[in-house]
Amino acid sequence: MRWQRLGEAARTLARGRSARLTAAGVAVLVVLALTWVVAVASISTVSTAGGPTGSAGLPTAPAVAAESSAGSPGSSAGSSDTAAGPSAESKRIAPPGPGDPGLPVDVSGAARDRSVVRNARLELSVGDVVAVSGRLRSVAAGVGGFVASEQSVDRSASFTLRIPAPRLDEVMNQLTAAGKVTARSEQADDVTDQVADLDGRLASQRAGVARIRALLDKATSVGDVVLIESELTQREADLESLQKRLAAVSSQVAMSTLTVALTPTPAPEAQPAGDGFLAGLAAGWRAFVTASGALLTALGAVLPFALLLALLGGLGLLGRRLLQRSRRSGHQPAATPDTP
């Protein structure tokens, strides 16, 4: 009986201890949950009162930079900016990304900002090459363009025109009406990135030249002056080369190249004759004239040789007769005198 009572007492103590441990664990979890809620609420309050927040409820980098500049000693400008309101950096709006919905995009403005080089070629078949060439020069001069090169071969002509890019289509339409278009092609190259790269390199090169000139003004020894002047000359040469490249690309963008080839219109082919007696008579007469012409041509070609052969044959025949006559005179018997 004693051992049973001791076992029951031990089990009762174990149940009480497990219940106390469970209650203590639940209490700890409740305390941790309340602490997390209070921490999140305090962070949200600070971010709302102090400046713009990020996606997770934390202050953004511009707000942190403004706070740190305001709190640091000796930064009166930062303190005034913080007191007046959010800094200029925090007011800046980031450009919309490609996936941002609902934001307006100015497609026409973006297209206008592109730098595009346009080239075209036009081949025309015209009745009067000289007249169309004069009209071509007039059209180019009328839109502010000019003839860069001109070449004439036989009855054909080729021109290379420089036309303002916005007037290229207008000029091509005017020239198309001057004849029959046998070939037409256009080409466009986007050089926006190239222009932007040249602009950036030019700005950097100008800044470098300015720094070298400032160093030259402060140079005191002859060696320093010579060294700095050499470096300045090299940088100025690089700057001039970049300027020429940018000018060439800008000229290609502003003035399009149009190549025009003019060829005379071919003569119309002879129409075939109709049917009937007159048509057959005309065809027979043409065949007779053609055959007669061929026969006379052959006779004219053979006649000199025939005359030569006839002359040689006559000379041969004459020589043969003379030979026969001489033989006959040699074989005749001599005459005998009569006896009384």
Side-chain angles (χ1 to χ4, degrees):
M1 295 295 292
R2 179 183 297 180
W3 293 109
Q4 291 179 358
R5 291 177 181 176
L6 290 177
E8 290 178 359
R11 284 193 294 271
T12 302
L13 290 175
R15 293 193 193 97
R17 182 176 299 176
S18 61
R20 287 194 298 271
L21 290 176
T22 303
V26 171
V28 170
L29 292 176
V30 171
V31 171
L32 290 177
L34 292 176
T35 304
W36 181 79
V37 171
V38 172
V40 171
S42 62
I43 290 175
S44 302
T45 304
V46 171
S47 63
T48 305
T53 59
S55 59
L58 299 177
T60 57
V64 174
E67 291 177 3
S68 62
S69 61
S72 59
S75 57
S76 58
S79 301
S80 61
D81 292 342
T82 306
S87 62
E89 184 69 23
S90 63
K91 293 180 181 180
R92 187 177 303 168
I93 300 176
D100 295 340
L103 297 179
V105 179
D106 187 5
V107 179
S108 61
R112 287 194 298 269
D113 294 338
R114 307 300 296 180
S115 298
V116 180
V117 177
R118 295 185 61 193
N119 297 319
R121 178 176 178 82
L122 192 63
E123 296 182 6
L124 299 175
S125 177
V126 297
D128 190 350
V129 175
V130 177
V132 176
S133 299
R135 181 179 177 183
L136 184 146
R137 299 186 189 93
S138 301
V139 170
V143 298
F146 60 92
V147 179
S149 64
E150 178 180 351
Q151 184 179 5
S152 299
V153 179
D154 295 336
R155 298 174 56 193
S156 302
S158 178
F159 297 86
T160 300
L161 308 179
R162 298 284 288 170
I163 305 297
R167 310 292 296 274
L168 178 61
D169 295 332
E170 176 185 350
V171 172
M172 293 185 68
N173 292 333
Q174 293 183 16
L175 296 179
T176 299
K180 180 181 179 181
V181 179
T182 58
R184 176 172 179 168
S185 62
E186 298 183 27
Q187 181 181 1
D189 296 328
D190 191 347
V191 294
T192 305
D193 295 339
Q194 184 178 356
V195 172
D197 178 65
L198 290 174
D199 284 335
R201 294 174 64 181
L202 271 174
S204 176
Q205 195 68 19
R206 289 193 184 101
V209 169
R211 288 193 298 269
I212 296 298
R213 288 176 177 172
L215 291 176
L216 182 61
D217 294 337
K218 297 178 181 179
T220 56
S221 64
V222 176
D224 292 342
V225 170
V226 171
L227 182 61
I228 295 174
E229 283 184 346
S230 175
E231 182 66 21
L232 179 61
T233 302
Q234 180 63 36
R235 296 205 178 193
E236 287 180 342
D238 295 341
L239 177 61
E240 184 178 358
S241 176
L242 289 174
Q243 289 174 343
K244 290 181 178 179
R245 290 175 58 187
L246 181 60
V249 176
S250 301
S251 175
Q252 293 177 359
V253 173
M255 302 290 288
S256 299
T257 301
L258 174 60
T259 303
V260 182
L262 303 178
T263 56
T265 302
E269 298 180 357
Q271 298 294 332
D275 299 332
F277 174 76
L278 295 179
L281 182 61
W285 176 254
R286 287 195 298 270
F288 173 75
V289 171
T290 303
S292 299
L295 181 61
L296 292 175
T297 302
L299 181 60
V302 173
L303 185 59
F305 298 97
L307 292 176
L308 179 60
L309 292 176
L311 180 60
L312 294 176
L315 292 176
L317 183 60
L318 180 61
R320 181 179 179 182
R321 287 182 178 180
L322 291 176
L323 181 60
Q324 290 178 355
R325 187 176 297 176
S326 64
R327 286 180 180 178
R328 288 174 184 174
S329 62
H331 287 290
Q332 286 182 356
T336 59
D338 294 338
T339 57

